[in-house]
Amino acid sequence: MLAARLRRLYSYLLVSALFATPTALAQPEVPAETDREIAPFVIVPQQRTYSTQVIPTGLRLTDVSATIEIVEQVATTTLEIVIHNPSSRQLEAELIVPVPDRAAIRRFSIDGSVGDTTATLLPSAEARGLYRSIVRKMQDPGLLEFIGLNLIRSSVFPVPANASQTMTMVYEQILVGDGDRVDYVLPRSDALAGSSVGWKIKATIQSDRVISAVYSPSHELQTSNGASRVVAEVPEGKAGPGAFRLSYLLKRDGLSTTVLTYPDESIGGGYFLLLAGIPEAEQEAARTPQKREVIIVLDRSGSMRGEKIEQARGAAMQVLEGLERGEAFNIIDYAESVSKFAEQAVIKDDQSIVEARAYLASLQAGGGTNIHHALKTAVTQEPTEDMLSMVIFLTDGLPTAGNTSEVDIREQSLEANIHARRIFTFGVGFDVNAPLLDRIAQSSRAASINVLPGEDIEVAVTTVFRRLAGPVLSSPRITAIDAQGVSSTRIMRELMPASLPDLFDGDQLITLGQYIGQDPVLLSIEGDQGGVMRSYQFGFDPADADVANSFVPRLWASRKIANLIDEIRQSGANGGAPGESAGVTASPGAGELVEEIVRLSMKFGILTEYTAFLAQPADAVSLNAEGFDFALACSATLNNLEDKAVNERWGIGAVSQSLNIKGGQVQACANPSNEWLDANMNSVSITTVQQLGDQTMFKRGERWVDARIVSAENQESEPPQQIVEFGSNEYFAMAESLADRGRSALMAIPGEVYLIVNGEAVLVSNPVKPIDDGC
């Protein structure tokens, strides 16, 4: 296998070399522009269609399907591109496909084409000349987004009238590995607006080695895992803007880990993303799974009558059936009083399952809801020796019996949890105290799940429980080790999450944080593995930090903002009536938290329902007569947090906020449109803020303004230090300079662009070109 792999890699290297040209070795300062005539329509599948003709019914780019096959680090990318000509006459077009380095053309074809169709690979130096020519001719800056990339250019081809045409472009590349991690990138536009092209993205990865983890920092993935073959697909409707990035981690002995880093002098080091994966197929041979003890706590209050109690019974039986023989369980049920199946957890066997089934069948709904007593009963039971103990706690209402104080329930249940049980909370419907359930779960290394109206309780509970099979590493923690081999608190900080979750079969861990200094960093993850404490060490070198990993600080900031919001939300818990709040004024430190929320929101372009007004420059609360006012923005944010996060403890608005906050706390892929759920559970997004590379742009009237200018009070109204005219030599030189730092998309925005370049405020006067439905 290894010899075949090497031969295959060599052949692809040879193909890439054959397509290289001498100009790729030395890039001129001003690349020569193309001599070949540019077609009336230029189709860029990763972006949109460009045209020199004003034709209302011009060519439309309608669908793009990307199929990626990766075999032993050789990636074959197949793009199926559908264009439509709605006009009554034949039109001519050419295809431009920006591609990464080391790409080689394998095939280009057009369905139904009878003439010769060809495609040529242009290395970056020649590609820059073509980019310049198209930008000038089309009077459109859009293609500057890809300047610096190689490209594939097709011959000119006809597109029949009133017809759709499918083109297929296949290219291959050798992927670069970083230790056990292999990275793939499909270049695509970062622009939020302008194209309604439907995208489908699917990747298949095959390797002789076991694949531990598959991760995309850019897009949500649905994966079908095997030991050495994984299929990863972006869910329908989720292939939003931005390059598609995919990383996979190959197994090594113990815990498979890798670290991606981004440099940032302003924090004295930079940001890191730790990815750790445990392959499913290897676990049985690697260790004996730790046994589990599960305490099922069921709400049988009056509001659970009918279908709810039936589903709760079914969920409980599904959990019990899912336990292995020899594992332990108990059932606690509560209304205004609390009852138990057994005084202590019992071992699962044929007899105990029969008795548990009969006990569940006897449960009848009626009475109040004594959450306080039920939780304390569950966590104070003596645990079964040598088992990881977890609680599945289900409720559909607010506390109405016993101690109903949110503060008391939260603090006393956590204080009573001396056996460190994981408490998985399930809030059924909207009439639950969402902040309470969230904090109880989070503080015990567990998760809080919302079962929305119309959803099946049994399905929700069993779906979560199936994931909790065979804990592989429990109570893990991460530490940094200094040059003397001693644990140090000065090397990393601001970990997100601060407490690592337990790792189960097939899990992958994504942790973000800041590193300090420029010396190589050694990290250690230790935890309980099958009853034995294990430690895994791995390191990274800040010298390898790359601005291309701009997603790392933005993901860190997303989690940080969500945690700050949650702290303010939790500070509003009261000691009185259920569902009411004590107000933000109960927490004297709330002002500092709000200031950090606003600062991070502006810097990274991460807006929430509490800071959405920052995207609206005409709003008087965020702008004074001269420009942005930080104090006013903080005051408005605090008011929004008081009205929503603090005062709404239950109901549909509270649950939607709970989902938004929890999503932010574990965010692992980009959210460029700042999508969240509003108070009616409808999806909301923002298009007047763009996250481009490691920078953020705000729409101010017809001008896009750098966040660094917006955030500097009064600077937005100051005249620029330099004006760069579209199409000038200075214009393209600036675009290429920004491309070297991964910021080329800043120059590709239509209209005026006001940004910071090399410490100076620069106004770029791009043409304003309407973009409509793929054109």
Side-chain angles (χ1 to χ4, degrees), residues 173-315:
Q173 65 189 110
I174 299 174
L175 304 181
V176 176
D178 183 347
D180 297 316
R181 189 189 79 244
V182 181
D183 300 323
Y184 170 90
V185 179
L186 173 63
R188 296 173 71 237
S189 174
D190 283 325
L192 285 179
S195 177
S196 59
V197 178
W199 267 83
K200 295 179 181 178
I201 304 175
K202 181 178 181 180
T204 302
I205 306 165
Q206 289 183 260
S207 174
D208 288 342
R209 294 171 61 186
V210 173
I211 300 169
S212 292
V214 175
Y215 167 63
S216 172
S218 62
H219 293 81
E220 180 183 339
L221 290 180
Q222 292 176 340
T223 59
S224 174
N225 291 0
S228 300
R229 185 177 186 274
V230 175
V231 178
E233 190 167 6
V234 177
E236 186 174 355
K238 296 293 185 178
F244 173 66
R245 299 179 181 274
L246 182 73
S247 295
Y248 64 94
L249 191 57
L250 298 173
K251 180 191 178 297
R252 61 179 169 183
D253 292 339
L255 194 69
S256 300
T257 58
T258 189
V259 179
L260 297 106
T261 51
Y262 173 90
D264 190 340
E265 293 180 359
S266 69
I267 64 170
Y271 297 86
F272 71 88
L273 182 152
L274 164 65
L275 172 65
I278 304 172
E280 295 179 351
E282 294 293 305
Q283 293 315 308
E284 202 57 42
R287 53 93 188 109
T288 301
Q290 186 176 5
K291 291 184 178 180
R292 298 164 295 175
E293 175 199 76
V294 178
I295 310 299
I296 303 171
V297 186
L298 298 180
D299 183 346
R300 55 172 171 79
S301 62
S303 58
M304 287 289 291
R305 286 191 182 95
E307 187 178 33
K308 286 184 182 179
I309 194 68
E310 292 299 326
Q311 290 181 359
R313 289 194 194 102

Side-chain angles (χ1 to χ4, degrees), residues 678-755:
D678 68 10
N680 294 311
M681 302 294 285
N682 297 314
S683 178
V684 176
S685 59
I686 291 176
T687 58
T688 52
V689 176
Q690 294 201 61
Q691 304 167 0
L692 302 175
D694 60 356
Q695 300 300 309
T696 299
M697 302 296 288
F698 284 81
K699 186 93 178 276
R700 297 303 196 227
E702 295 304 314
R703 174 185 290 183
W704 284 93
V705 183
D706 193 314
R708 293 168 292 180
I709 295 176
V710 175
S711 298
E713 294 190 11
N714 303 330
Q715 186 174 341
E716 192 175 345
S717 60
E718 295 293 321
Q721 294 166 281
Q722 182 182 0
I723 297 176
V724 176
E725 295 297 329
F726 173 81
S728 65
N729 287 338
E730 293 79 10
Y731 177 85
F732 288 110
M734 182 179 292
E736 291 168 11
S737 175
L738 289 171
D740 293 338
R741 288 172 281 174
R743 299 173 179 173
S744 55
L746 295 174
M747 294 285 287
I749 307 173
E752 288 190 344
V753 183
Y754 193 20
L755 68 162

Side-chain angles (χ1 to χ4, degrees), residues 496-554:
M496 305 286 162
S499 296
L500 304 186
D502 299 319
L503 296 179
F504 293 84
D505 273 342
D507 268 357
Q508 61 185 37
L509 173 68
I510 299 173
T511 300
L512 295 122
Q514 298 176 351
Y515 65 85
I516 308 303
Q518 295 302 316
D519 294 330
V521 176
L522 182 64
L523 300 178
S524 173
I525 291 182
E526 59 182 5
D528 186 329
Q529 189 174 47
V532 178
M533 289 302 297
R534 298 286 176 85
S535 177
Y536 303 95
Q537 293 187 355
F538 52 95
F540 65 89
D541 191 342
D544 297 329
D546 193 341
V547 293
N549 295 330
S550 58
F551 54 85
V552 174
R554 188 163 274 121

